[in-house]
Amino acid sequence: MRKKDVTRRDFLKSAAVAAVAAGGARPVKASPAMLSTSNPGSTVHYGFIGTGTEGCSLLKQLTTIPAGRCIATCDIYAPNLKRGVETIGSNPQTYTGSPTEYRRMLERKDLDAVLIATPLSMHAQMVIDALNAGKHVFVEKTMYFKEEEGDAIRKAAEANSKQVIQIGLQRRSSVLYNVAMQMIRKGALGKVMFVRAQWHRNNNWRRPVHDPKLERQINWRMYREYSGGLMAELASHQVDVANWAFGSEPISVVGTGGIDYWKDGREVCDNIEVIFKYPGGRKMTFTSILYNAHLEYNEQIMGDHGTLIITIGKGMYYRETVAKASNGKAKENWWAGATVTQQAEQKGFPLFPDEAGNQGFLDREMLYAKRWLASMGIYEYEEPHDPKWSELSNFMASIRDGKPIACPLDVGMADARAVIYGNRAVDTGNTVYWPKKEA
Amino acid sequence: MEHGHRIGFTEQAGGPPCSAPIGRAAGPHRGALPAIELSLLLLLIFGANPLLRAADQLVRYEATHRAMGTSFTLVEYGHNSAYLQEVASQVFQEIDDLDNQMSNYKPSSELSSINRDAAQHAVMVEPKLFRLIQDTLEYSRASDGAFDITVGPLMKAWGFFRGQGRLPSKAELAEVLKRIGYRHIRLDASARTLRFDTPGIEIDLGAIAKGYAVDRAVEVLRDNGISQALISSGTSSLYALGSPPGEHGWKISVRNPLDTSKAACVLRLQNLSLAVSGDYEKFFKLGGKVYAHIMDPHTGMPVEDMLSTAVVSPSATDSDALSTSFFVEGPDAARHYLDTHHGLTAVFFLPAASAGTFKQVVLKSTVTRLPAGSFISLECH
């Protein structure tokens, strides 16, 4: 059908424009660059605190980022510390033995930056100490644990405003997510009103513990003393996507949840179901369950003209069969022919960054060919790098070259507030409202 | 043939003649008061030019909807886009209801349960569907079986039902042909029941359902006061209601069957339907030969010596059935039908002697009596 083709071309055009604009990871708000300390060509010497599972996952990415060199690692749990050292392979000095040992590491003058991947309850103090010690800071999401910690971190960051602080929400560094956000800004989805996200698993979310004495240390995510549960560990990624898509943080949240399936002594919910309300009646729902993995995890961003279904590594765009109202008449020219089947129309379009940009004819043609193959399901677009690699590269580039920070303080704070208020809504059963912004 | 669903049409036939100013038929619309004030104001400014006034106030609304394995597209003109949207929802709801009733892809449809049970016992049928099946049997009789709603098993044997095309063996075809034939459908009008007199019969309304849905959609549009609209079902069945503002008929280009990016004929239609059958959207190739999806129920083979047919008539149901029927029968047999039925125009696209070319044959009913308010112009290249 001729009309359909035109619409499809229009879409591809708008996606291409969006992608050109995306170019690479760009933060929503530009942060002050580290001009005074930036030193292109130098190597960033960093220390790594918390070399557990997530920490080692970051360290593995760091092994292929030449802009930084790990000279110190710190973990209270010896097997993890050993694993971290082995993972990074740069023969770092190790700090272990007491929970405050990291402060000794911070005293090192040759240390430019610190990366923190410890249990959530430890984030705030470490971030503040590192900032006050004059270090650049990368901290895993969720940025902080308790509401009051946010202001303390902000104060420390403002007092040390020439240092970089970046939060580990890696979707902010994903090419696909940036294309998605550009598509939203360009109106490919129309009026974006709803984000539906789920993070569903079918396991107990525990790590194996060979010595019961270590249960709370290894399975810290299960205990309220250290952990914000599913909200902090999983929802934080997706609520940030909603914040990004809506260009706003929520104004209120309601929710429920419970320990209803894995009654194994854990203190955090094994299922949560929350609704965040944003200005203008926009909403985001999040569910996380640990007893069915069929839907796995993704975010479905919905506007009155289309839907984006996106997760790390894959994004699809589906056009709504939207009606068009216009004033006056149009040039009516209709085509008649053998029945056109609907199969082609039901397929979505894969998200595809326009890397060709200003390149030549052949590159552009190649891109169109790839995009076409992708739409047929023959070719899959892959991110040029793991978004974790991208976020860590961005961290080094922010320090060394003054590049804008992909996920700066404000983004992390908005995300942490949503996690904290979301948990409060689940715990109390009340609607939790965001404090009124100071004028 | 007289069909129940055409009554609605003749009732509407006393509408404005085709030369009358367009867009004056007032549909119900909301917030009418300011619109009236505005029109009075415009009247003062522009005098009494009704065309200008209508064009200033009209809203064009276009929407598409997926159903029956294709896309329905609707364009309406009216005074209020919210109202037009509500009417469009009603239209699409009607089409969905028909899809749910008449689909042979959906196990829960009424048609599927007829197909399951009618060989065992007489099945009661919803009145409108019963009437439609009655009509299809009329088409079958009139075309001496060229149109036949029992070709489903044949389509399956050729792999046109949820699958890849395949070449059935002669033995297989002979076996399948035993399960084909509209005469195996027995209707009891007084009890409104249907039964198959032999097992293995299946009804497939694919050759008529889209046209029928278009007619029912037009009824919904008319019932809601819409007088300028076009509804198209996958481009193969459409109805031109009234004309676009300031126009004389809806302009419709019929695809060239050998180069579908080009138009073979251009029509202008007002209060008429058009249906196109063609072999170029659904076919498969095997051993260098092309097998298309329109079957000759007599031979069990795909029709080969026809590229496409287009039929214009007051009823989209008629047009849909006749375009298939004429595709199978060819122009010679169709001419006889056109001699005895009025108000029809048919275009045949036949393969020509040299490869890559085709010839066109245009046939019209001997009596070209069109309902009042209807208009057709046809230009073939």
Side-chain angles (χ1 to χ4, degrees), chain A residues 1-3 319 321-330 332-342 345-346, chain B residues 58-62 64 66 69-71 75 77 234-236 245 247 250-255 261 274 280-281:
Chain A
M1 198 165 136
R2 174 151 297 201
K3 282 165 53 42
R319 196 164 56 87
T321 49
V322 172
K324 286 172 287 197
S326 53
N327 285 320
K329 59 166 292 187
E332 302 288 359
N333 187 9
W334 292 79
W335 285 85
T339 310
V340 176
T341 53
Q342 70 172 207
E345 289 204 340
Q346 281 176 324
Chain B
L58 281 178
V59 177
R60 181 184 189 273
Y61 185 86
E62 178 175 347
T64 61
R66 292 175 194 139
T70 187
S71 284
V75 164
Y77 283 94
T235 78
S236 65
E247 299 278 335
W250 292 81
K251 185 185 170 196
I252 296 145
S253 305
V254 178
R255 290 192 194 284
S261 67
L274 166 72
Y280 48 86
E281 287 285 346

Side-chain angles (χ1 to χ4, degrees), chain B residues 27-36 78-87:
Chain B
H29 52 272
R30 289 162 174 199
L33 210 56
I36 289 167
H79 298 277
N80 177 320
S81 65
Y83 180 77
L84 292 172
Q85 189 213 309
E86 288 156 16
V87 174

Side-chain angles (χ1 to χ4, degrees), chain A residues 21 37-38 59 77 86 105 130 166 200 264 269 275 336 342 421:
Chain A
T37 53
S38 69
L59 281 169
Y77 182 51
E86 284 166 7
M105 184 179 100
Q166 181 174 353
H200 292 183
D264 54 5
C269 294
I275 305 169
Q342 70 172 207
Y421 296 162

Side-chain angles (χ1 to χ4, degrees), chain A residues 109-313:
Chain A
K109 293 278 181 283
D110 58 347
L111 203 66
D112 302 311
V114 174
L115 291 90
I116 300 165
T118 54
L120 175 54
S121 59
M122 299 175 171
H123 284 186
Q125 194 57 55
M126 287 175 170
V127 168
I128 291 164
D129 288 345
L131 286 170
N132 289 336
K135 313 301 180 196
H136 302 283
V137 176
F138 176 96
V139 58
E140 255 307 330
K141 62 89 213 142
T142 300
M143 187 178 152
Y144 56 87
F145 187 38
K146 298 256 165 33
E147 188 172 8
E148 58 276 13
E149 293 169 354
D151 288 334
I153 293 177
R154 182 187 287 284
K155 264 183 208 143
E158 282 167 1
N160 300 282
S161 63
K162 287 182 178 162
Q163 288 150 237
V164 170
I165 174 163
Q166 181 174 353
I167 291 78
L169 291 159
Q170 70 268 27
R171 281 162 181 74
R172 292 272 173 172
S173 296
S174 150
V175 176
L176 271 186
Y177 274 86
N178 277 278
V179 170
M181 294 303 156
Q182 291 296 331
M183 284 174 69
I184 291 170
R185 308 284 178 255
K186 300 266 175 193
L189 270 62
K191 196 171 177 185
V192 179
M193 292 300 291
F194 188 51
V195 176
R196 180 172 177 254
Q198 82 285 339
W199 205 309
H200 292 183
R201 299 176 174 212
N202 198 345
N203 60 43
N204 66 4
W205 206 43
R206 282 181 169 280
R207 305 214 193 283
V209 181
H210 58 88
D211 178 355
K213 285 203 294 269
L214 297 171
E215 160 65 12
R216 290 177 76 86
Q217 195 176 334
I218 291 172
N219 278 313
W220 62 268
R221 293 188 302 187
M222 301 290 142
Y223 301 98
R224 282 166 172 259
E225 189 182 343
Y226 326 104
S227 168
L230 298 170
M231 192 78 74
E233 299 305 311
L234 305 180
S236 56
H237 286 297
Q238 298 185 314
V239 120
D240 178 53
V241 171
N243 287 354
W244 198 4
F246 290 144
S248 162
E249 59 180 305
I251 52 175
S252 68
V253 56
V254 292
T256 187
I259 305 167
D260 302 311
Y261 184 88
W262 295 104
K263 299 174 183 180
D264 54 5
R266 72 183 61 206
E267 296 168 4
V268 298
C269 294
D270 61 21
N271 68 98
I272 52 173
E273 299 79 18
V274 290
I275 305 169
F276 291 96
K277 196 164 149 185
Y278 288 78
R282 296 170 297 174
K283 299 190 184 63
M284 185 238 187
T285 66
F286 170 81
T287 62
S288 185
I289 59 176
L290 296 179
Y291 35 72
N292 179 302
H294 181 68
L295 291 177
E296 296 184 317
Y297 57 94
N298 62 29
E299 298 93 51
Q300 302 137 47
I301 305 170
M302 302 177 207
D304 57 1
H305 284 198
T307 303
L308 278 169
I309 301 185
I310 186 165
T311 190
I312 294 286

Side-chain angles (χ1 to χ4, degrees), chain B residues 41-93:
Chain B
L41 189 68
L42 288 168
L43 194 66
L44 288 172
I45 297 169
F46 295 111
N49 184 337
L51 265 180
L52 186 57
R53 197 178 70 219
D56 270 339
Q57 293 174 9
L58 281 178
V59 177
R60 181 184 189 273
Y61 185 86
E62 178 175 347
T64 61
H65 182 76
R66 292 175 194 139
M68 298 189 170
T70 187
S71 284
F72 284 74
T73 304
L74 169 67
V75 164
E76 332 157 69
Y77 283 94
H79 298 277
N80 177 320
S81 65
Y83 180 77
L84 292 172
Q85 189 213 309
E86 288 156 16
V87 174
S89 298
Q90 297 289 312
V91 166
F92 295 142
Q93 183 61 54

